Amino acid sequence: MEGNIYLPQLARVVAIHEEVPGERAIKTFRLEFIDGDGFTHKCGQCAMLSIFGRGESMISIASSPLVHDYKQFSIMRAGRVTSAFHELAVGAQVGIRGPFGNSFPVNDWHGKHLVFIGGGCGLAPIWPVIQTAVTKREDFGSITVFYGGRSPRDIMYRAELEKLRGTAEVYLSVDSPDDGWEEYCGFVPANLMEKEPSPEDAIAITCGPPAMIKFVIKNLHALGFQDEQIYTTVENKMKCGIGKCGRCNVGKDYVCTKGPVYSWADLKELPQEY
């Protein structure tokens, strides 16, 4: 970040896709900077998005750093600002500033097998890592993706997940299947235990509802994964992004300056969030 860190850059909404319908709908927005090249980011970082006159909100960047034409954000309708985003149409102008936070140490994982475990809208913060690993496929071992939603209509990035098959092992699950569902019926941690990914030379990256992560961590330990092999993100704790407002503190840490990405070895030393 250079110059005035509080001053957003202008961006234009160039595409909107509804991922999940309903009361807590999720839409994916692609934003292009209007003036200049904007900023570069790393996997796991966030940006502050604003709608002028409505407010601003910290959102995980859901596009790979290897994509330079746009920044992607998947936003659940949950409050004033996020609801305002869901009212936008293609062509609307918004503010964007960032990037904020640390990142997943992707370069340290070269040669490792990668196991991704996501639930609900928790797929968005780890999606840049998945896309980066797939693009640089020769740098990594096997790629396995576990992802689940409450029902088939709650599966976000459905078309993109289908495209991953052949490049990665993709295991989808739902809590409440419909008549056409042919994949796993049950919770994500149970699907993980059934498929039993090996911990040898592997890294596990997880994000989702706190209850899911709690049991994912437990099951990863049962499979032999060590704390140093497990990474997650507490991006929902990010507030101002620069550690000024104090609302992101978890124990001794300001997530805005230390996080949001943590290994489980580091995160378990803090007051438990999960």
Side-chain angles (χ1 to χ4, degrees), residues 72-125:
Q72 179 169 295
F73 301 87
S74 294
I75 302 174
M76 174 182 285
R77 185 172 59 201
R80 183 185 71 254
V81 179
T82 55
S83 294
F85 264 92
H86 277 242
E87 297 168 5
L88 296 180
V90 171
Q93 291 188 17
V94 299
I96 177 172
R97 56 189 178 93
F100 298 108
N102 66 350
S103 60
F104 289 100
V106 178
N107 290 337
D108 295 341
W109 299 342
H110 286 184
K112 300 286 187 181
H113 304 296
L114 303 181
V115 181
F116 298 92
I117 311 106
C121 62
L123 183 60

Side-chain angles (χ1 to χ4, degrees), residues 205-266:
I205 305 101
T206 184
C207 186
M212 185 208 83
I213 292 182
K214 175 182 177 180
F215 288 101
V216 164
I217 299 295
K218 178 181 178 182
N219 289 354
L220 286 171
H221 285 156
L223 291 169
F225 283 81
Q226 302 301 307
D227 293 338
E228 294 78 10
Q229 294 176 271
I230 304 170
Y231 285 79
T232 190
T233 171
V234 290
E235 88 293 339
N236 60 317
K237 293 292 183 182
M238 295 280 284
K239 301 300 179 184
C240 70
I242 54 177
K244 295 294 187 182
C245 73
R247 294 185 297 138
C248 68
N249 70 294
V250 179
K252 62 181 176 61
D253 276 9
Y254 276 10
V255 173
C256 282
T257 57
K258 182 68 179 294
V261 175
Y262 288 85
S263 71
W264 187 248
D266 291 332

Side-chain angles (χ1 to χ4, degrees), residues 3 12 20 32 59 141-142 148 155 160 164 205 224 270 274:
R12 181 178 291 110
V20 175
E32 289 183 357
I59 307 291
S142 62
I155 298 291
E160 291 88 342
L164 282 182
I205 305 101
L270 301 178
Y274 301 109

Side-chain angles (χ1 to χ4, degrees), residues 3-218:
N4 187 342
I5 60 175
Y6 301 105
L7 183 65
Q9 300 181 62
L10 287 178
R12 181 178 291 110
V13 178
V14 296
I16 303 173
H17 177 71
E18 184 179 67
E19 304 287 351
V20 175
E23 182 179 350
R24 293 175 67 82
I26 300 172
K27 288 185 177 181
T28 293
F29 299 81
R30 288 187 175 178
L31 309 181
E32 289 183 357
F33 291 99
I34 293 176
D35 297 315
D37 297 327
F39 58 77
T40 59
H41 72 280
K42 298 178 181 179
C43 294
Q45 290 189 303
C46 305
M48 188 73 82
L49 302 184
S50 55
I51 296 181
F52 305 110
R54 302 294 291 273
E56 61 181 6
S57 185
M58 187 73 74
I59 307 291
S60 294
I61 302 173
S63 51
S64 169
L66 302 178
V67 175
H68 303 292
D69 295 337
Y70 60 83
K71 301 294 184 192
Q72 179 169 295
F73 301 87
S74 294
I75 302 174
M76 174 182 285
R77 185 172 59 201
R80 183 185 71 254
V81 179
T82 55
S83 294
F85 264 92
H86 277 242
E87 297 168 5
L88 296 180
V90 171
Q93 291 188 17
V94 299
I96 177 172
R97 56 189 178 93
F100 298 108
N102 66 350
S103 60
F104 289 100
V106 178
N107 290 337
D108 295 341
W109 299 342
H110 286 184
K112 300 286 187 181
H113 304 296
L114 303 181
V115 181
F116 298 92
I117 311 106
C121 62
L123 183 60
I126 62 177
W127 191 249
V129 191
I130 296 174
Q131 291 297 295
T132 298
V134 168
T135 301
K136 294 189 171 185
R137 190 66 190 83
E138 67 281 359
D139 290 344
F140 303 95
S142 62
I143 300 174
T144 306
V145 179
F146 292 88
Y147 175 67
R150 288 175 294 180
S151 70
R153 77 174 195 160
D154 295 308
I155 298 291
M156 64 184 295
Y157 299 166
R158 184 70 178 271
E160 291 88 342
L161 286 165
E162 293 300 330
K163 290 179 182 178
L164 282 182
R165 298 185 191 275
T167 302
E169 294 290 334
V170 178
Y171 299 111
L172 303 182
S173 62
V174 296
D175 307 344
S176 302
D178 58 23
D179 291 339
W181 185 256
E182 297 181 352
E183 299 200 49
Y184 190 82
C185 299
F187 299 122
V188 174
N191 197 14
L192 177 69
M193 285 301 289
E194 181 176 289
K195 303 305 188 296
E196 297 184 329
S198 171
E200 186 174 353
D201 291 325
I203 297 293
I205 305 101
T206 184
C207 186
M212 185 208 83
I213 292 182
K214 175 182 177 180
F215 288 101
V216 164
I217 299 295
K218 178 181 178 182

